[in-house]
Amino acid sequence: MGVVTFLSAKGSPGVTTTALLAAALWPRPALLLEADPAGGDVAARVSAPGGGLPDTSRGLLPLLSAARRGLDTAAVLDQAQPVAGGSRVVLGLTGPEQASAAGRGWTALAAAVGGFCGGSAPGASDVLVDAGRVGAAPVHLDLLRTSDLVVLLVRADAAAVLHARDRLRLLGTALRRPDGPAPRTGVVVVGGPGRSARDEACTLDVLRAAGTRVQDLGRLPHDPAGAGVFAGAPVARPERTALVRAGRTLVARLAADLVSDLPTGRSAA
Ligand SMILES: Nc1ncnc2c1ncn2[C@@H]1O[C@H](COP(=O)(O)OP(=O)(O)OP(=O)(O)O)[C@@H](O)[C@H]1O
Ligand SMILES: [Mg+2]
């Protein structure tokens, strides 16, 4: 079991959509932890299993509020809830004020999430983290460092690629752990309107030419209909949308990657 963190540089290339997509298709038990310091969107995008609203009294805020007493995997699972479609989610914060107020709570959360690695925790799960847009001095840096795999989403357009390139450079240093190597980092290129496969391939070339060590984890298409599935829109035959079909390939790769190449000191369940 392990931790995959989805994040972006400047722009909104679909981090939450991709995290929801991954949670829906993940081949093993998984928990989606919505940990975007800018605030969460998942509560507005998912329903309770029988329909209706999810329970917004549970989620990341009570977890971070209890952090002074220490957190473990059971505390994280206590704040998770099943949602329609079969995923389990820990709903995010309402906004950046809550994220700043949590202070050292983020470090306690990172330690608890690290407890899911190795598969010995009760209710063992892979943890899929929506870390939102990551800028300078992220409040949740410890959580990012706890990840086995960090997935940067980038749109295939010039401005987004330049921002992603700078962020990858800085993350290369910031993610280093005091006790070991940094998490592995990869890129998923998300298509944009009018963008070709050539633009997408070019994105990776630009990132690599800049000397950033980056694993090519795959592509997701620009597909408003498919994205609607993860925005609460009624979509007929969601499994047939281009986004969900591409998502299956991506998720199979991420899930396999997680167990095949865990960093030293961690073992696959
Ligand atoms: N692959 C995609 N194709 C088409 N539209 C998409 C795709 N992914 C996301 N979107 C749409 O883009 C918008 C932003 O998506 P999302 O909220 O997932 O991005 P984000 O990176 O999490 O943004 P934020 O920074 O606001 O948290 C939404 O309207 C979503 O439906
Ligand atoms: Mg988001």
Side-chain angles (χ1 to χ4, degrees), residues 8 11-17 36 41 45 155 190 221-224 227 231 243:
S8 69
S12 294
V15 177
T16 302
T17 302
D36 181 346
D41 293 321
R45 294 191 184 187
R155 274 212 201 278
V190 184
H222 177 72
D223 175 22
L243 185 61

